[in-house]
């Protein structure tokens, strides 16, 4: 058990809808990372927060947004969903910059 | 263009055989990490290599960081079915941790 909790585990929704994925980091970890994993693209970095502030952005679409709250949990919001957004979404946390990442077990999003 | 290239993409070998998988980049990294991911789970850290030329061993797994800190390899001795999984290398680019696409390893009993 990594100590990182992601909910929900599975999500099935229709195109055009909006969903929110939730992540609780490991106790004591201030950094939260979001990744999208698909078979053809591998694990793609989306965004990173450190202690509530956005630190780095990857290939995150404008339809996607995220935030980290004062209690350090994070949410990833995906809107105007398209079929191609179907993927596994992982959250990871770490103590500090360059520290090893601890991953949750992901949210499997299926857009129909 | 993938910053970290992993090869081979897929590898299926018999139990007891040895194997090596690679992680290559044209860029220098201050450190590289190796993770293993099993179906339905998130990646789990195996090792971090920091110094050029460094070799780290984890039971039957040997990790090496290239002298120029641009590449790394993972060698498994006497592979076992429990070694089956997706092996990912990762490196830091500023505040981003970037992953290769991984090597999907299948050990046949």
């Amino acid at each position: 058990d990594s100590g990182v909790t992601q909910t929900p585990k599975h999500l099935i929704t229709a195109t055009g809808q909006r969903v929110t994925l939730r992540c609780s980091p490991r106790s004591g970890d201030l950094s939260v990372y979001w990744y999208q994993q698909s078979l053809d693209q591998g694990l793609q970095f989306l965004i990173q927060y450190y202690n509530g502030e956005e630190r780095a952005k990857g290939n995150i679409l404008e339809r996607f947004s995220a935030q980290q709250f004062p209690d350090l949990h994070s949410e990833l919001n995906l809107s105007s969903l398209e079929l191609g957004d179907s993927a596994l979404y992982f959250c990871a946390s770490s103590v500090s910059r360059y520290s090893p990442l601890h991953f949750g077990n992901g949210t499997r999003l299926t857009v129909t | 263009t993938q910053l970290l290239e992993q090869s081979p993409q897929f590898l299926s070998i018999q139990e007891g055989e040895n194997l090596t998988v690679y992680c290559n980049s044209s860029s220098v990294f201050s450190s590289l990490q190796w993770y293993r991911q099993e179906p339905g789970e998130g990646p789990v850290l195996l090792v971090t290599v920091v110094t050029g030329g460094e070799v780290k061993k984890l039971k039957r797994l040997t990790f090496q960081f290239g002298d120029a800190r641009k590449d790394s390899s993972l060698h498994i001795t006497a592979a076992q079915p429990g070694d089956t999984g997706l092996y990912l290398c990762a490196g830091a680019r500023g505040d981003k941790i970037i992953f290769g696409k991984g090597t999907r390893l299948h050990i046949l009993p």
Side-chain angles (χ1 to χ4, degrees), chain A residues 35 37 40 57 97 101, chain B residues 35 37 94-97 101:
Chain A
Y35 289 87
Q37 188 176 40
D40 56 339
K57 245 180 176 175
R97 198 186 193 202
L101 300 182
Chain B
Y35 293 78
Q37 184 179 16
D95 283 300
K96 304 175 187 180
I97 307 292
K101 287 190 177 183

Side-chain angles (χ1 to χ4, degrees), chain B residues 1-58:
Chain B
T1 305
Q2 197 74 13
L3 191 59
L4 288 167
E5 297 281 350
Q6 290 192 246
S7 61
Q9 205 173 343
F10 301 98
L11 186 57
S12 183
I13 64 169
Q14 290 292 138
E15 181 177 0
E17 292 185 1
N18 302 330
L19 66 105
T20 303
V21 299
Y22 302 91
C23 174
N24 294 301
S25 177
S26 56
S27 302
V28 174
F29 285 89
S30 57
S31 65
L32 281 179
Q33 298 168 358
W34 283 92
Y35 293 78
R36 180 169 69 207
Q37 184 179 16
E38 298 187 32
E41 299 180 6
V44 176
L45 180 73
L46 295 173
V47 79
T48 301
V49 285
V50 178
T51 308
E54 180 178 10
V55 175
K56 277 192 174 175
K57 294 198 177 203
L58 193 66

Side-chain angles (χ1 to χ4, degrees), chain B residues 57-87:
Chain B
K57 294 198 177 203
L58 193 66
K59 296 183 182 176
R60 294 175 293 98
L61 277 60
T62 302
F63 303 84
Q64 184 157 11
F65 201 11
D67 290 340
R69 292 185 288 126
K70 291 182 178 181
D71 55 85
S72 181
S73 63
L74 158 58
H75 181 79
I76 301 180
T77 305
Q80 297 178 2
D83 296 327
T84 292
L86 177 66
Y87 288 80

